Amino acid sequence: HILNFGAENLTITGRSSVGGLVAINNGGTIIGCHVSGSVTGSQSNIGGLVAVNYWGTVQSSFADVTVKTNVASGCGSVGGLIGYNRGTIQFCHAAGSVVGHGTVGGLAGFNDGGMVSGCYASGAVSSVYDAGGVVGQNRGFVTTSYSSGTVNSSVHVGGLVGWNYS
């Protein structure tokens, strides 16, 4: 478990699976954490707080992080809080701008069978495709969540979700 941890003015740079606090959360619990600064990756799974959340729980946490990718090829699953989510995200907030090529969300880039509940994102989102104010691509559940930031994309753009699967 990671509980009540904070890190400020971060500058994190990497290739893939790059997170402000954790690269891969595999079944773990992150509660009451916050980060600020910038996270930059050159491939996929880039997140302000967590790059990849596999079956873990991220709760009551906050990221005020500028998240971006450097190149167009392979830049998917980019999120203000979590890049790729297959777990649970509850009562979280992301405030920084998020820039990527595809599958970009203000809170989570790709919610792949996971749950996003009681969350909001307030940062600007920019992508070429699959851009959402909260989630870029959703194959899971998004409940009682909202975004207040601007969302720009050429294809599949939504204030809440860019592309929602069944």
Side-chain angles (χ1 to χ4, degrees):
H1 300 311
I2 300 174
L3 305 172
N4 303 318
F5 181 81
E8 297 182 358
N9 300 317
L10 297 171
T11 302
I12 309 292
T13 303
R15 187 173 174 184
S16 65
S17 296
V18 182
L21 183 65
V22 174
I24 299 182
N25 182 38
N26 191 358
T29 303
I30 298 169
I31 299 174
C33 295
H34 70 276
V35 293
S36 70
S38 68
V39 174
T40 304
S42 61
Q43 290 190 352
S44 62
N45 302 330
I46 314 301
L49 186 75
V50 176
V52 177
N53 184 36
Y54 286 124
W55 303 286
T57 298
V58 178
Q59 188 175 35
S60 303
S61 294
F62 170 73
D64 186 4
V65 177
T66 299
V67 181
K68 63 183 178 179
T69 55
N70 290 324
V71 295
S73 118
C75 291
S77 301
V78 181
L81 188 78
I82 296 178
Y84 177 90
N85 181 55
R86 189 170 274 187
T88 301
I89 308 169
Q90 290 182 306
F91 315 122
C92 292
H93 173 215
S97 63
V98 186
V99 178
H101 185 72
T103 315
V104 179
L107 189 83
F110 188 8
N111 184 39
D112 188 13
M115 168 70 81
V116 175
S117 178
C119 297
Y120 70 101
S122 57
V125 176
S126 180
S127 179
V128 175
Y129 64 91
D130 298 349
V134 174
V135 175
Q137 268 188 36
N138 181 52
R139 289 186 184 177
F141 295 93
V142 178
T143 65
T144 59
S145 298
Y146 70 93
S147 76
S148 61
T150 60
V151 183
N152 292 302
S153 182
S154 297
V155 186
H156 309 142
V157 57
L160 185 68
V161 174
W163 184 321
N164 188 50
Y165 290 89
S166 60

